[in-house]
Amino acid sequence: ALFTAGLANVFAAFKGNENKKLMSTEGLSDRIGGIGNQFALSSINSFLFCLVLMVVTEGYKFGAFITLCQTNPIVLMNLIYSGLWFYGYNELATMTIKKTNAVTQSVANTAKRVIVIVGVAIVMGESLDPLKLIGCGVGIGGVFLYSVIDDLVKKGKK
């Protein structure tokens, strides 16, 4: 889980950095019509890439998945709602990158994950064992350090 979470962070940071580069490319936003269209193109490219991976790795399960969606409306509604939520979140993240930068977005994404872990543990009544608390502490500490590092460096130079 740690490896895949780290890999997800790397790809999220890469996506943010590439989106920021596209936003600053001269004349590109005029040609594609703005940040919303840029996000749509990124989403289409991501979908096509993931579609190939899905067909190669789990394509044989697709028929069973379609049957499950047809027989269980809860699965279908959860699929639709999670897709819409994910799309909205990623479009907001792309708009945030335009106002900030890719590193800030990546740090905010880490903070979001820590908050979700702690929030879900509280809501579900799960215990936070020492390893989870250490991980959350490292995440929160890293986000805090990122937010105050500029002030600390300026004070150190004086």
Side-chain angles (χ1 to χ4, degrees):
L2 179 62
F3 175 75
T4 54
L7 191 62
N9 276 341
V10 167
F11 280 115
F14 177 75
K15 180 185 82 168
N17 195 34
E18 292 303 308
N19 276 332
K20 187 67 174 180
K21 282 183 194 175
L22 282 174
M23 287 176 208
S24 60
T25 302
E26 193 69 32
L28 183 65
S29 62
D30 296 333
R31 290 190 302 242
I32 61 175
I35 191 163
N37 288 343
Q38 177 183 335
F39 175 73
L41 290 172
S42 295
S43 295
I44 291 168
N45 285 337
S46 299
F47 170 75
L48 294 174
F49 177 76
C50 289
L51 183 65
V52 170
L53 283 176
M54 187 273 307
V55 168
V56 169
T57 59
E58 299 193 19
Y60 65 94
K61 297 180 183 178
F62 190 67
F65 173 72
I66 295 297
T67 303
L68 180 64
C69 286
Q70 289 172 340
T71 58
N72 191 342
I74 293 173
V75 171
L76 181 61
M77 292 312 295
N78 283 342
L79 180 69
I80 291 169
Y81 291 149
S82 66
L84 289 172
W85 185 260
F86 190 71
Y87 180 86
Y89 164 75
N90 279 306
E91 186 161 4
L92 179 65
T94 303
M95 288 189 271
T96 303
I97 289 172
K98 184 175 183 179
K99 303 264 185 218
T100 60
N101 63 44
V103 175
T104 301
Q105 176 65 21
S106 184
V107 170
N109 200 21
T110 301
K112 174 205 63 154
R113 287 188 178 128
V114 171
I115 291 167
V116 167
I117 289 169
V118 173
V120 167
I122 291 169
V123 169
M124 303 290 263
E126 293 181 4
S127 66
L128 287 172
D129 60 28
L131 191 57
K132 286 181 186 176
L133 288 173
I134 290 170
C136 290
V138 167
I140 292 169
V143 171
F144 174 73
L145 184 61
Y146 175 78
S147 67
V148 299
I149 193 71
D150 290 337
D151 294 334
L152 292 175
V153 170
K154 285 179 188 173
K155 287 180 184 176
K157 288 183 179 179
K158 286 183 180 180

